[in-house]
Amino acid sequence: MEPLLFVYGTLRPDHSGPVARWLRAAARHVGPAVAHGLLYRIADYPGFVPGPYGDVIGDLFALPDPAAILARLDDHEECSDRFPTPHEYRRELRTVITPVGSATAWVYVYAWDVSGLEPIAGGDFLA
């Protein structure tokens, strides 16, 4: 089975950004998914913080070439070794909920302090 990636913001298939378009071509969209936690508005993009409260709406992608795809996304999210620490994001394996059950997927977790940031109501960045 191909590794999975959960996306919740500017990488979602309905977003018009260039990296979202690239991901749609490089990976296979599996369908909707939900992760437990909160979504915060950082600037013109969101940050996901896992936790027991709240649901974050997103999408799952299957990764046919996980090493290459994740390396490109790590650079996009500025959490590869090429970028100075502390990184704004870190990539983690998390459990997400799909219409047919739970799955384990890579997700970019916001790593900086969220004090003073506004949570996105309903957990859906594209709503």
Side-chain angles (χ1 to χ4, degrees):
M1 181 174 158
E2 295 169 319
L4 298 171
L5 172 70
F6 174 75
V7 296
Y8 53 81
T10 61
L11 297 177
R12 288 181 66 190
D14 291 341
H15 193 272
S16 62
V19 182
R21 288 194 305 272
W22 171 82
L23 182 60
R24 287 193 303 267
R28 181 174 51 84
H29 182 239
V30 174
V34 173
H36 295 304
L38 293 174
L39 203 57
Y40 291 89
R41 183 166 308 285
I42 309 304
D44 59 347
Y45 60 93
F48 166 65
V49 177
Y53 305 106
D55 288 331
V56 172
I57 309 302
D59 291 272
L60 277 182
F61 281 91
L63 307 178
D65 186 356
I69 292 169
L70 292 172
R72 171 131 184 221
L73 292 176
D74 286 354
D75 281 347
H76 171 72
E77 301 293 348
E78 298 183 3
C79 63
S80 71
D81 292 340
R82 295 181 40 211
F83 294 90
T85 57
H87 296 139
E88 187 176 16
Y89 290 89
R90 64 180 177 273
R91 180 166 42 90
E92 295 181 354
L93 283 170
R94 308 288 307 180
T95 299
V96 297
I97 309 304
T98 75
V100 296
S102 63
T104 300
W106 289 108
V107 61
Y108 288 91
V109 172
Y110 192 71
W112 290 356
D113 183 17
V114 295
S115 298
L117 294 178
E118 175 186 347
I120 295 173
D124 188 346
F125 178 71
L126 299 182

